[in-house]
Amino acid sequence: MSSPYRPSSIQRQTLLSVVLLLGIVASLVVISAVGFETLSSARAYVGGEGLWSKAQKDAVYYLLRYSESHDAAEYSAFERDLLVQAGDRAARQELDKPSPDAEIVRQGFLQGRNHSEDVAGMARFYRRFGRVRYVAQAIGIWTEADTVITELNGLGAELRHEIESPRPDDGRINQIRIEVYAVNLRLTRLEDSFSRAMGMGARWAEQVLLILTASVAGLLLVVAMLGLRYQAGRLQAAEDSRRASEEQLGALVQRAQFGIIRSAIDGAVFSANPALVRMLGYDSEAEVLALDLGRDVYANPADRRRLVDQVANDSVTGAEVEWKGKGGGSVRVRLHGRLVGATGSGTPTLEAFVEDVTQQRVVEAQLRQAQKMEAVGQLTGGLAHDFNNLLSVILSTANLIADELPPGAAQAKADLSALQQAARRGGAMIRKLLAFSRAEQLQFRPYLLSPLVEANAMVLRRLLPASIEIVVSSDPDTPTIRTDPSALEQILLNLATNARDAMPGGGTLRIVTGAAPAVDGVRLHGAIITVSDTGTGMTEAVRQRYFEPFFTTKPMGQGTGLGTAMIYGLVKQHGGQVEVESAPGKGTTVTILLPIVDGLVANTLEDESREVLPAGEGTILLAEDEPQLRNSARRILERFGYQVLPAADGNEALALYVRWKDQIDLIITDVVMPGMGGAALLAELERLGSRVPVLITSGYTASDPDGGVQLPDGLPFLPKPWDAAELLASVRETIRPSQDI
């Protein structure tokens, strides 16, 4: 009987080696496949984040344009770009379910503008690595951004509601713009965090893959030492895999949304990806390779020397510097760099990731400026209320004193007239102070632009020295604009004053008016006023702060810094735009674009004589918390035939109304009073069914007579400061309808 077959020890060793070799080869294949899929999916996610970011930026851009143009097409573009975020969010929410619907996931990623060939890999990557530390962190950041996108969508809906309302509130529209800027900054920071998280995850994955690959390569080396002849072929396969991996990484670098640059210590450029080439404004990588970083790219070569010294000891993270683009344009960049080794020639190599933050910094500066203007506007509004009360006391008391003077007191009457003129100038100063904060409501009517400007030019000729020539050029086909002549006068006066100070030795002030020119073949529906001088001009730093309140280059005591801020505020109240161009030694040009109106009859500048008011009759309930002003108003009204019931606040006024309501013909009330204010008084009167006409008076502005308190629309308004004639005219105009019934 033959014995069973038993393999020799050599055969067993060979079989074991073959099995081990096959296991190693299988491991390499699996690692390569997983690695390639992971890198490809990571690339798709980075690309998806870039598409998400672009759609978000475009949405903000169209929403801000819509706030200016009120064009429904801009709002539709805003909603269309938000569909990208909605698609990505729908896909991620479906993938979080235990059994996700593949079609919902696919449609969501496609709506997010991802490539159809990347969808399956992105879904597997999310399900497989979604709980891995760095990927989970990146997904969490993306999910947080969904909430901010929801806020942006809400702001868009609120902006659209305000714009489409019968009486859009420019102040609220401007506030929404500021909130949109803030949301954009928050999203930008989240995008930065997402990129950092994915970058750390990619480096972690690279390290893991390198460790696994190194381990498998070590086993292959052991097998080679055992003499397996076919080991070389498998090593060649590993080399091919490595090259394929490098090609994948190279493709990722080429498609990256941020700049990547490798350079030498001395400033020579070894390589630059397409994003960096575009960032600098060049047409090809070859142009960038010919540059010297210190001389041609860094605006301040000392910045590069400082960063090179820093990176020699440690990496550089988030350093911001100024670069020069092609043609010398400024580019603000944020750098993340490290020293990665040496090239074949032994030259140390610096590698940096570059982010263009130019627009981000511009938006941040605009937000800070808007917040500053808002704060100053709130301050001046409160001051105006108190100051206008004082001026009203002065004007009304002067009226009373003037009526008591004997016929021969000519000098005393002249003194009182000067006092009244000074008080009115004080009121005008308050209105001018409020103009730049857009708190003062102007009286807009249609006027032909050129006659207004020419009339103001005649005034300017009397104010400016003879050494300054004024040249006015008007378009014969002058457009009609809606304006307040006093506001336009203030704009031109401030511009002329600045031009005079810039031309101490004389020069030319040129004022040009006409229809707006065509831009890119499209004619703007607006009117242009251009005011230019031949003065000293401004540096770029001064030009950027030209409209900033309280900023002045004049010596102490020779300028308030409010003139140009008033110009800015008045132009914005017109719904227009203003720009300034200047350079040292080349003068200054201010261009104002104002909207024009069609189909309206233009007014003229003819003065209207004031009607002499006869004595009145009736009983007036007067609610005013300022004792002197209350007493002056009572004496004036009684002198002209009215009976007055004075009250120090809303509570006293309400008690008097309940007692004398059948005899009261008019109620005059201040708004801001201690105890019960004007708004609460009106609410109580409405509850009691009062039909007595009401005249509102306030030291706040006509656009905000309530000082922030909600009042019914359409009530007659008497702004402070007022004199006797203005008080009597408002009373007569308000009380007359009820007496005519």
Side-chain angles (χ1 to χ4, degrees):
M1 183 176 180
S2 60
S3 59
Y5 171 77
R6 295 178 181 274
S8 65
S9 59
I10 296 177
Q11 290 174 326
R12 288 196 300 272
Q13 183 177 359
T14 302
L15 180 61
L16 179 61
S17 299
V18 170
V19 171
L20 179 61
L21 179 61
L22 291 175
I24 293 172
V25 171
S27 299
L28 277 173
V29 172
V30 171
I31 291 172
S32 298
V34 172
F36 294 158
E37 181 183 0
T38 301
L39 289 173
S40 178
S41 300
R43 173 196 59 77
Y45 262 91
V46 171
E49 189 269 344
L51 295 170
W52 190 97
S53 175
K54 182 180 184 302
Q56 177 259 314
K57 298 295 185 186
D58 289 345
V60 169
Y61 169 77
Y62 285 119
L63 185 58
L64 292 177
R65 284 189 53 172
Y66 172 66
S67 72
E68 293 286 345
S69 66
H70 300 181
D71 186 351
E74 305 284 3
Y75 189 84
S76 298
F78 160 73
E79 291 181 314
R80 183 178 63 250
D81 283 316
L82 284 190
L83 292 176
V84 173
Q85 287 81 11
D88 284 335
R89 180 172 63 250
R92 285 184 274 110
Q93 290 175 345
E94 187 64 22
L95 286 169
D96 286 332
K97 296 179 180 180
S99 300
D101 188 324
E103 184 58 23
I104 294 178
V105 173
R106 179 175 178 277
Q107 292 300 326
F109 278 132
L110 290 178
Q111 184 177 324
R113 299 180 184 172
N114 295 283
H115 197 282
S116 58
E117 295 180 2
D118 293 332
V119 169
M122 292 174 69
R124 286 194 298 271
F125 181 84
Y126 189 100
R127 297 283 290 180
R128 185 179 300 166
F129 298 100
R131 291 180 175 82
V132 174
R133 174 184 172 189
Y134 297 106
V135 178
Q137 181 181 353
I139 292 173
I141 294 169
W142 211 339
T143 304
E144 182 181 353
D146 292 339
T147 304
V148 184
I149 285 295
T150 302
E151 294 181 29
L152 179 61
N153 195 17
L155 289 173
E158 186 176 357
L159 179 62
R160 184 179 186 181
H161 179 269
E162 188 62 37
I163 289 175
E164 293 181 352
S165 66
R167 299 177 63 184
D169 186 342
D170 288 346
R172 181 56 190 151
I173 291 173
N174 186 53
Q175 182 62 36
I176 293 173
R177 284 173 55 84
I178 292 174
E179 293 175 11
V180 170
Y181 283 138
V183 165
N184 185 51
L185 292 177
R186 289 167 57 194
L187 287 170
T188 299
R189 295 189 186 100
L190 289 174
E191 293 163 15
D192 292 345
S193 300
F194 177 87
S195 299
R196 286 195 297 271
M198 287 298 289
M200 290 186 293
R203 288 191 292 273
W204 171 80
E206 180 184 12
Q207 292 173 357
V208 172
L209 289 174
L210 287 175
I211 292 173
L212 291 175
T213 303
S215 300
V216 173
L219 290 175
L220 280 174
L221 182 61
V222 172
V223 173
M225 294 176 65
L226 296 175
L228 295 175
R229 294 181 179 179
Y230 46 83
Q231 182 180 17
R234 297 306 182 192
L235 289 174
Q236 185 62 46
E239 178 64 17
D240 293 342
S241 298
R242 184 187 64 79
R243 290 177 179 174
S245 178
E246 289 179 351
E247 291 175 359
Q248 285 281 79
L249 290 174
L252 183 63
V253 168
Q254 292 297 307
R255 297 171 185 170
Q257 299 297 312
F258 48 84
I260 300 176
I261 186 170
R262 294 171 64 90
S263 64
I265 295 292
D266 62 6
V269 181
F270 295 148
S271 65
N273 72 336
L276 189 131
V277 174
R278 292 192 301 270
M279 188 183 302
L280 292 175
Y282 290 97
D283 299 324
S284 66
E285 182 184 12
E287 291 183 89
V288 177
L289 297 183
L291 300 176
D292 178 272
L293 289 179
R295 182 187 66 242
D296 303 322
V297 176
Y298 278 78
N300 183 3
D303 287 339
R304 184 172 189 275
R305 291 193 296 270
R306 174 176 53 82
L307 293 175
V308 169
D309 293 339
Q310 182 179 344
V311 82
N313 301 314
D314 193 6
S315 61
V316 172
T317 302
E320 286 197 17
V321 295
E322 291 290 335
W323 277 11
K324 296 181 295 186
K326 186 177 182 179
S330 178
V331 182
R332 186 74 178 178
V333 298
R334 183 161 53 195
L335 301 172
H336 308 271
R338 59 174 181 166
L339 189 65
V340 295
T343 61
S345 62
T347 304
T349 303
L350 299 174
E351 181 181 84
F353 295 86
V354 186
E355 179 185 5
D356 186 348
V357 296
T358 306
Q359 186 60 33
Q360 178 180 337
R361 296 297 173 260
V362 170
V363 171
E364 290 174 351
Q366 291 174 343
L367 176 60
R368 288 193 296 270
Q369 179 69 8
Q371 291 171 336
K372 183 188 301 182
M373 295 286 285
E374 180 70 18
V376 175
Q378 292 174 354
L379 173 63
T380 54
L383 292 174
H385 171 263
D386 296 336
F387 194 52
N388 283 331
N389 267 344
L390 296 175
L391 293 175
S392 293
V393 173
I394 295 172
L395 287 170
S396 58
T397 304
N399 289 136
L400 293 171
I401 295 174
D403 290 343
E404 297 292 340
L405 290 175
Q411 184 59 50
K413 290 183 178 180
D415 292 339
L416 280 177
S417 177
L419 177 65
Q420 291 173 309
Q421 291 178 5
R424 291 191 182 95
R425 285 199 300 269
M429 289 176 61
I430 286 295
R431 289 192 295 272
K432 293 173 183 177
L433 183 63
L434 293 172
F436 77 89
S437 66
R438 303 178 65 186
E440 172 67 13
Q441 183 70 32
L442 303 179
Q443 301 300 317
F444 289 105
R445 299 172 67 189
Y447 290 90
L448 291 174
L449 173 61
S450 293
L452 280 181
V453 173
E454 291 169 357
N456 280 285
M458 296 175 63
V459 176
L460 296 180
R461 287 190 176 96
R462 293 193 296 268
L463 296 177
L464 296 181
S467 59
I468 296 179
E469 179 187 7
I470 301 178
V471 179
V472 180
S473 176
S474 302
D475 188 340
D477 187 18
T478 181
T480 300
I481 63 171
R482 191 186 298 273
T483 185
D484 184 323
S486 63
L488 189 61
E489 176 187 3
Q490 187 63 45
I491 291 172
L492 294 174
L493 181 61
N494 284 339
L495 289 174
T497 300
N498 289 344
R500 178 201 63 195
D501 295 341
M503 298 184 291
T508 301
L509 176 65
R510 187 176 300 275
I511 305 175
V512 179
T513 64
V519 177
D520 296 332
V522 178
R523 190 173 188 84
L524 299 177
H525 195 65
I528 289 289
I529 306 174
T530 301
V531 180
S532 58
D533 62 59
T534 57
T536 56
M538 297 177 285
T539 65
E540 178 61 19
V542 173
R543 189 197 68 81
Q544 291 182 357
R545 303 184 63 185
Y546 186 75
F547 296 112
E548 183 177 321
F550 305 116
F551 171 75
T552 179
T553 58
K554 298 176 183 177
M556 181 69 68
Q558 297 186 20
T560 63
L562 288 178
T564 54
M566 292 177 191
I567 296 171
Y568 180 86
L570 289 170
V571 171
K572 288 302 180 182
Q573 284 197 81
H574 282 76
Q577 299 179 12
V578 57
E579 295 181 354
V580 58
E581 298 179 7
S582 185
K586 296 185 179 180
T588 299
T589 298
V590 177
T591 302
I592 299 172
L593 173 65
L594 299 176
I596 64 177
V597 292
D598 298 320
L600 297 179
V601 178
N603 292 276
T604 65
L605 296 176
E606 296 178 357
D607 294 330
E608 298 179 357
S609 60
R610 174 171 291 190
E611 176 186 2
V612 178
L613 295 176
E617 60 181 12
T619 300
I620 298 175
L621 174 58
L622 172 64
E624 169 61 58
D625 64 304
E626 176 62 43
Q628 291 177 306
L629 187 57
R630 183 172 65 250
N631 183 54
S632 297
R634 178 186 61 79
R635 292 175 59 190
I636 292 171
L637 292 171
E638 288 177 346
R639 179 168 295 175
F640 277 81
Y642 298 100
Q643 294 181 339
V644 180
L645 300 174
D649 56 30
N651 290 314
E652 289 188 17
L654 188 62
L656 290 171
Y657 171 81
V658 172
R659 183 177 179 182
W660 304 100
K661 60 182 178 182
D662 294 334
Q663 284 78 38
I664 296 175
D665 299 292
L666 175 66
I667 299 172
I668 302 176
T669 179
D670 194 5
V671 178
V672 180
M673 297 182 292
M676 180 185 291
L681 173 61
L682 292 178
E684 288 297 318
L685 292 173
E686 183 179 3
R687 185 181 64 82
L688 294 174
S690 172
R691 300 185 62 185
V692 179
V694 178
L695 173 62
I696 296 294
T697 182
S698 177
Y700 286 97
T701 63
S703 62
D704 187 22
D706 51 7
V709 180
Q710 186 64 39
L711 291 174
D713 294 332
L715 292 177
F717 175 64
L718 173 62
K720 298 176 182 177
W722 46 257
D723 60 16
E726 292 167 338
L727 172 62
L728 292 169
S730 296
V731 168
R732 185 70 174 172
E733 194 67 28
T734 307
I735 203 173
R736 183 182 294 159
S738 64
Q739 294 181 341
D740 292 343
I741 294 176

